Amino acid sequence: MELLESQIAGVDKNSPEAQKLDRQRKKLAAEIQRDWGYALREGIETYSSFTGLDMVVNDAQLADKSVRDLIKDPNYSREGLAKNGRDLSDGQLKNFLNDQVMMMTHHMNGFHEGHEGGADAGSAMGKYAERAVLALKMMGKDVTKPPYKALNDAAEEMVKNRKDPAALKKTMRELAETFGKNGNVDEGLLVLADLIEKAVPEAKGLWDPKLLRESANRGTDAQQANEMRAIKSQLANRRKLMEEQERELAINGPATAAASNSKKQFRLRSELEELETEQARREHLGSKYRKEDWKKAEALESEEAGLRRRLERMQNLNSPGSAQKEIRDRLSKVRSDLTGLNKSYKDEGGTGRYQRDHSDERMDRRIAAIKEEQALRKQAADKYQRQMEEEGKKMADGSGFVDDNPYQVFELPRDENSLTTSSILRVGLDGASAEIVIERP
């Protein structure tokens, strides 16, 4: 920026060159402002209290340690810090814990509103849950015992795998199954949220999706406020996506940006496919069985299909009747059990039509958000392709970059008062040095 301003000062302000430099200056200023906005938005996650800054940055990151290292270190405690002159008050630790709850609320709202998928929200939730465990430890809680142990264990596994999407999803599915839920990613996130609420009373009820619906039904003002929050969140996500695309394009060029965009498109397609499969599963099971019987019904239906295939093969191979009878008897028992589950569904008023709930509405919102992002990423892919073709044409033609190319390297300003025709620039690093002779033309 200083270089551009010095160049502008050295030319006639009404000249085409000055106008061109001024456009570049304004563009750079806009990029700086966007980058600062991004940094401030992302930076608030940890540093809204000095206690968080000290623990997460000074004690962990700058010391080349993880938050998990601090949790496991028996000497890292409130008493241990006090011996080194760092007394922490109850209020400071409470603020640190509340910061984590605040950030988790941001991601849980995004999850329920559909702007974040279960895996993306889970990646962030695991990180903040682990920091919440650290806060609880510093407050004197024994995180190796209930109700903190389950949260401590879950957070550790999620943070360990948060950089690997496939491993994180596997961890979240296993977490859901451990607590008797359907083994999918979204259920894993909801289980984690429940563990947090049990360990951190301040979070109790904050992430109930009913709050979103109730606020929309309390009257016009509340509904408008709820809709406005959703719109703001949607616009913020779109702006963040567009800034991310521009940043990657400026730093790495269109080819790398296109490759990165393609990977994210693949992830979106995979998530959309999973959601649509889950919707079909719910429609099928919800039209025949009570929700509490879904897991059992799925197992029985899977067994029924397997038994039918076995029986068909045995018939085709003319297997002995006694062997076929064993399969037929088991098939009859499985079908009887399924009929019993269907009867329980009807006895409780089941009409053969799935009754949707808030989780279905959340999936609808997530699917809509994915399709919107897919459209934006398709536009970006087309843009990157055009730019790659333009760069390829320039290289083939030998025309090089155009004059207003934003990556142009400007000539350094010269000292007009210097009487020498050359200068020596000395640079040094770790005891080594070099001299560069700069000659005036």
Side-chain angles (χ1 to χ4, degrees):
M1 180 65 75
E2 292 179 357
L3 176 59
L4 281 172
E5 290 175 346
S6 68
Q7 287 185 314
I8 293 172
V11 298
D12 182 356
K13 66 179 181 179
N14 296 319
S15 67
E17 184 181 1
Q19 294 174 7
K20 175 181 171 183
L21 291 171
D22 188 55
R23 287 196 300 272
Q24 292 174 342
R25 182 186 64 81
K26 289 177 179 177
K27 182 177 180 180
L28 179 60
E31 291 175 354
I32 292 173
Q33 184 178 17
R34 285 199 301 271
D35 286 344
W36 270 112
Y38 178 82
L40 289 172
R41 183 174 70 242
E42 297 300 308
I44 195 173
E45 60 156 11
T46 302
Y47 314 130
S48 51
S49 73
F50 283 108
T51 309
L53 180 65
D54 279 339
M55 289 185 179
V56 176
V57 177
N58 292 335
D59 297 345
Q61 295 171 355
L62 293 181
D64 197 24
K65 295 181 179 179
S66 65
V67 171
R68 179 55 51 182
D69 291 333
L70 300 184
I71 293 173
K72 291 183 175 180
D73 185 353
N75 297 317
Y76 190 82
S77 63
R78 187 175 183 178
E79 295 74 18
L81 292 179
K83 292 178 181 178
N84 294 320
R86 285 176 56 189
D87 292 304
L88 294 175
S89 67
D90 292 341
Q92 286 175 308
L93 292 173
K94 193 75 168 178
N95 286 340
F96 178 45
L97 179 60
N98 288 342
D99 284 347
Q100 312 317 310
V101 174
M102 175 186 70
M103 292 310 302
M104 288 189 282
T105 299
H106 167 76
H107 289 285
M108 287 304 296
N109 283 344
F111 169 69
H112 285 305
E113 291 172 347
H115 305 307
E116 288 189 57
D120 290 334
S123 176
M125 287 288 289
K127 176 177 69 174
Y128 297 121
E130 187 170 64
R131 294 177 183 178
V133 170
L134 176 60
L136 291 168
K137 173 197 173 183
M138 301 302 284
M139 296 168 75
K141 311 296 184 184
D142 186 347
V143 297
T144 64
K145 296 180 179 179
Y148 313 108
K149 184 181 186 303
L151 173 61
N152 184 25
D153 294 343
E156 182 175 12
E157 285 302 308
M158 291 182 69
V159 170
K160 184 190 302 180
N161 295 303
R162 67 184 297 260
K163 298 297 184 181
D164 183 341
L168 176 62
K169 289 180 179 180
K170 181 174 182 292
T171 298
M172 295 177 71
R173 292 189 188 102
E174 291 173 348
L175 180 62
E177 291 173 350
T178 298
F179 286 85
K181 304 294 183 180
N182 177 52
N184 65 44
V185 171
D186 288 358
E187 289 292 343
L189 177 62
L190 295 174
V191 166
L192 178 67
D194 184 60
L195 295 178
I196 294 167
E197 290 188 3
K198 290 176 179 176
V200 185
E202 291 81 357
K204 186 68 175 177
L206 281 180
W207 309 323
D208 187 345
K210 295 178 183 177
L211 295 177
L212 297 176
R213 299 203 310 278
E214 289 173 357
S215 64
N217 296 328
R218 281 199 298 266
T220 303
D221 292 342
Q223 184 174 356
Q224 288 178 345
N226 190 62
E227 291 174 352
M228 183 59 68
R229 182 187 64 191
I231 291 171
K232 285 181 177 179
S233 180
Q234 183 178 7
L235 291 175
N237 285 329
R238 174 177 287 200
R239 184 180 64 246
K240 183 176 180 180
L241 172 60
M242 296 177 72
E243 288 175 359
E244 168 202 311
Q245 293 173 348
E246 290 299 321
R247 185 179 299 107
E248 190 152 26
L249 178 62
I251 294 173
N252 300 314
T256 301
S260 175
N261 188 58
S262 178
K263 290 180 181 178
K264 290 167 183 174
Q265 285 178 306
F266 175 78
R267 284 184 59 190
L268 289 172
R269 287 194 299 270
S270 299
E271 184 181 354
L272 181 59
E273 183 178 337
E274 289 178 5
L275 286 170
E276 290 176 340
T277 300
E278 175 63 15
Q279 281 189 324
R281 169 183 171 272
R282 286 166 170 258
E283 289 287 344
H284 168 70
L285 294 172
S287 65
K288 298 168 69 175
Y289 312 108
R290 299 178 302 173
K291 196 165 189 176
E292 57 266 34
D293 292 332
W294 283 6
K295 192 170 183 179
K296 182 178 180 181
E298 273 188 306
L300 288 171
E301 286 188 345
S302 177
E303 185 179 1
E304 181 194 25
L307 289 169
R308 280 192 288 103
R309 288 192 296 269
R310 288 180 61 188
L311 187 58
E312 288 173 3
R313 287 197 298 270
M314 294 175 75
Q315 291 172 340
N316 292 335
L317 295 172
N318 295 319
S319 298
S322 58
Q324 292 188 35
K325 182 179 184 304
E326 182 180 349
I327 299 300
R328 290 181 191 278
D329 289 346
R330 179 57 191 167
L331 184 58
S332 176
K333 175 65 170 61
V334 168
R335 286 172 173 169
S336 175
D337 290 345
L338 285 171
T339 300
L341 293 180
N342 181 247
K343 183 178 183 302
S344 298
Y345 164 78
K346 291 179 178 178
D347 289 346
E348 291 192 5
T351 62
R353 185 175 181 179
Y354 174 49
Q355 300 298 312
R356 291 163 56 87
D357 60 18
H358 64 84
S359 59
D360 296 284
E361 296 168 3
R362 183 190 69 236
M363 283 194 288
D364 288 342
R365 290 190 290 268
R366 180 56 188 158
I367 287 173
I370 288 174
K371 291 181 176 179
E372 180 182 8
E373 184 174 344
Q374 284 181 319
L376 291 172
R377 291 202 176 280
K378 176 62 170 61
Q379 294 175 5
D382 293 342
K383 176 182 177 180
Y384 298 150
Q385 182 61 36
R386 287 194 301 270
Q387 291 188 338
M388 284 191 289
E389 291 174 356
E390 290 171 2
E391 287 193 0
K393 186 175 182 299
K394 288 175 186 176
M395 293 177 66
D397 296 342
S399 56
F401 291 112
V402 295
D403 288 341
D404 60 352
N405 162 48
Y407 310 112
Q408 181 179 357
V409 178
F410 296 102
E411 181 183 359
L412 291 172
R414 294 191 293 271
D415 181 4
E416 299 296 338
N417 297 321
S418 174
L419 299 178
T420 62
T421 59
S422 66
S423 301
I424 296 178
L425 176 65
R426 292 182 176 85
V427 294
L429 178 65
D430 294 335
S433 63
E435 292 184 352
I436 303 173
V437 179
I438 304 175
E439 296 185 351
R440 293 185 61 185

